[in-house]
């Protein structure tokens, strides 16, 4: 069910002759451009918009389309917005006011500024039949005023393609994809904070690309570091040696600084408590997964970094009010009934 911060568009629910115009209007709310498509008479698309305070998350699927933001359009109206897009499937060909054209494939991230003209052609994977070609992308739009970096330096990065598999860019990508997956579960109270995290991660990424980390405010740098720590923990829950000391060493900071910073940014929750909660939550999900029903309970716990069966059982019961085995039986019975 959508929350007050989320809106979902599916072309199947709109009369055929109105589909393209509805989708174009939604895009234009934050990405003002001239949108055209040879598929406008039979436009099959989906879009999810999630409002995160001043940040807007867009997840969209659509057929080949062209987006043109001309110099005239910029002069007429400029909202002062950055457009950050992660391409998941299909391809982009981007021509900016410099006349240079860049092409992007799945896994590429690029940044545009509403203050500068651009011509973006989106096309589907070449291996697909023309009628089946789709573009899948996740993007965020946010006011340019939110970036505490020199505009002329940021301009150096506009229109360039970046790999989403490396460094801080990978962390940003992981966070955006996770937001999209959890969009329907997020409420209006928590979404503005998540918008701030998005901006912090963008700032950390751009500052590294520009070799300008010193220009990033301390609080922004600290929030990005804590998010990096959380992501590191999520990737390493299977390791029983995932201790605060090991986490601090992986991030080249002292244990005392890790404790102080993490607790302040996590409403008082300690690093150890966070690791334990994440392990139990992953075990709870895995025990409810029909695909893992043949895996013994103790093996599920070990996969989550909890190798001592008795301790795992006690902690699970304390957290969820029933034993791991009881939870699995209930969850699998419910899945079979459904």
């Amino acid at each position: 069910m959508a929350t007050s911060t989320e809106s979902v568009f599916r072309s199947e629910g709109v009369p055929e002759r109105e589909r393209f115009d509805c989708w174009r209007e939604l895009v234009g709310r934050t990405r003002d451009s001239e949108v055209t498509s040879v598929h406008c008479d039979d436009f099959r698309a989906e879009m999810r918009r999630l409002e995160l305070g001043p940040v807007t998350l867009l997840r969209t699927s659509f057929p080949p389309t062209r987006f043109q933001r001309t110099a005239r359009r910029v002069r007429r109206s400029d909202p002062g917005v950055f457009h950050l897009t992660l391409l998941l499937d299909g391809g982009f060909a981007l021509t900016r006011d410099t006349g240079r054209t860049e092409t992007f494939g799945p896994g590429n991230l690029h940044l545009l500024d509403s203050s500068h003209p651009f011509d973006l052609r989106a096309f589907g994977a070449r291996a697909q039949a023309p009628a089946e070609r789709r573009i899948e992308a996740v993007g965020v739009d946010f006011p340019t005023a939110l970036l505490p970096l020199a505009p002329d330096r940021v301009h150096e990065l506009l229109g360039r393609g970046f790999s989403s598999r490396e460094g801080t860019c990978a962390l940003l990508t992981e966070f955006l994809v996770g937001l999209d997956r959890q969009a329907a579960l997020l409420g209006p109270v928590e979404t503005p904070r998540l918008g701030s995290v998005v901006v912090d991660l963008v700032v950390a990424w751009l500052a590294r690309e520009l070799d300008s980390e010193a220009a990033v405010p301390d609080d922004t740098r600290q929030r990005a570091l804590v998010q990096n720590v959380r992501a590191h923990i999520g990737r390493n829950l299977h390791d029983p040696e995932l201790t605060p000391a090991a986490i601090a060493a992986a991030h080249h900071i002292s244990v005392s600084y890790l404790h102080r910073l993490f607790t302040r940014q996590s409403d008082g929750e300690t690093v150890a408590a966070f690791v334990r909660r994440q392990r139990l939550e992953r075990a709870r999900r895995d025990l409810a997964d029909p695909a893992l029903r043949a895996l013994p309970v103790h093996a599920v716990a070990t996969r989550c970094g909890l190798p001592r069966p008795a301790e795992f059982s006690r902690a699970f019961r304390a957290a969820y009010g029933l034993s791991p085995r009881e939870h699995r039986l209930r969850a699998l019975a419910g899945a079979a009934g459904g």
Side-chain angles (χ1 to χ4, degrees):
M1 178 180 296
T3 69
S4 60
T5 62
E6 181 198 26
S7 59
V8 178
F9 167 85
R10 294 186 178 89
S11 58
E12 290 80 1
V14 178
E16 189 172 311
R17 65 181 181 277
E18 300 175 12
R19 292 175 180 176
F20 179 67
D21 288 339
C22 288
W23 184 83
R24 179 171 57 183
E25 190 274 331
L26 285 172
V27 172
R29 291 181 185 179
T30 51
R31 300 194 171 198
D32 180 34
S33 59
E34 181 64 31
V35 184
T36 55
S37 175
V38 296
H39 301 275
C40 60
D41 291 334
D42 181 24
F43 200 77
R44 291 170 294 148
E46 294 184 6
M47 179 186 291
R48 177 189 293 119
R49 290 175 56 91
L50 181 64
E51 304 298 337
L52 307 167
V55 177
T56 300
L57 177 76
L58 300 173
R59 171 65 166 91
T60 189
S61 171
F62 57 98
T65 302
R66 184 177 184 179
F67 307 84
Q68 292 175 285
R69 182 160 174 79
T70 63
R72 180 180 180 182
R73 208 174 187 102
V74 171
R75 289 193 299 269
R76 186 178 67 189
S77 174
D78 180 17
V81 173
F82 280 126
H83 310 304
L84 181 68
T85 303
L86 168 66
L87 184 60
L88 301 174
D89 196 16
F92 285 148
L94 173 66
T95 303
R96 296 184 52 241
D97 48 349
T98 59
R100 182 176 178 178
T101 298
E102 298 276 355
T103 58
F104 311 126
N108 283 156
L109 199 72
H110 73 269
L111 182 70
L112 291 174
D113 185 341
S114 65
S115 300
H116 299 273
F118 60 81
D119 185 351
L120 181 67
R121 293 177 174 85
F123 48 88
R126 298 300 187 190
Q128 298 172 325
E132 299 173 352
R133 291 174 182 169
R134 310 286 297 170
I135 296 87
E136 307 280 345
V138 176
V140 284
D141 298 334
F142 57 94
T144 56
L146 293 182
L147 283 193
L149 300 171
D152 58 326
R153 296 299 315 281
V154 175
H155 187 265
E156 300 173 19
L157 305 179
L158 295 179
R160 289 172 49 186
F162 296 89
S163 171
S164 62
R165 300 178 179 87
E166 301 173 358
T168 312
C169 191
L171 176 62
L172 170 61
T173 297
E174 181 180 320
F175 190 76
L176 294 180
V177 172
L179 274 180
D180 172 56
R181 289 173 179 165
Q182 298 297 320
L185 304 177
L186 300 175
V189 175
E190 59 194 318
T191 47
R193 178 182 295 183
L194 294 172
S196 297
V197 173
V198 170
V199 174
D200 289 339
L201 293 175
V202 171
V203 171
W205 163 54
L206 295 179
R208 172 160 294 194
E209 294 293 341
L210 294 170
D211 195 22
S212 301
E213 285 94 340
V216 179
D218 287 343
D219 57 345
T220 298
R221 188 183 301 111
Q222 290 169 0
R223 288 194 297 266
L225 174 58
V226 169
Q227 189 58 39
N228 209 343
V229 167
R230 292 192 182 110
H232 174 82
I233 290 171
R235 292 191 298 268
N236 293 278
L237 287 176
H238 63 279
D239 183 1
E241 301 302 319
L242 185 67
T243 62
I247 295 168
H251 292 84
H252 311 291
I253 57 177
S254 69
V255 175
S256 60
Y257 181 66
L258 171 65
H259 280 308
R260 185 168 64 254
L261 185 61
F262 191 92
T263 302
R264 186 166 67 241
Q265 297 286 341
S266 305
D267 297 326
E269 185 176 40
T270 66
V271 177
F274 179 80
V275 171
R276 186 180 185 84
R277 180 165 62 83
Q278 293 299 305
R279 281 176 167 159
L280 288 171
E281 183 58 24
R282 179 166 296 180
R284 188 181 72 85
R285 292 198 303 268
D286 286 355
L287 287 168
D289 187 348
L292 300 175
R293 67 190 314 155
L295 197 65
V297 169
H298 68 84
V300 171
T302 299
R303 281 163 45 108
C304 300
L306 299 164
R308 299 179 178 84
E311 291 184 12
F312 168 63
S313 185
R314 285 195 299 271
F316 194 95
R317 184 180 290 276
Y320 303 113
L322 69 172
S323 73
R325 191 174 303 280
E326 290 168 339
H327 166 67
R328 167 177 266 183
L329 290 173
R330 287 190 187 184
L332 295 181

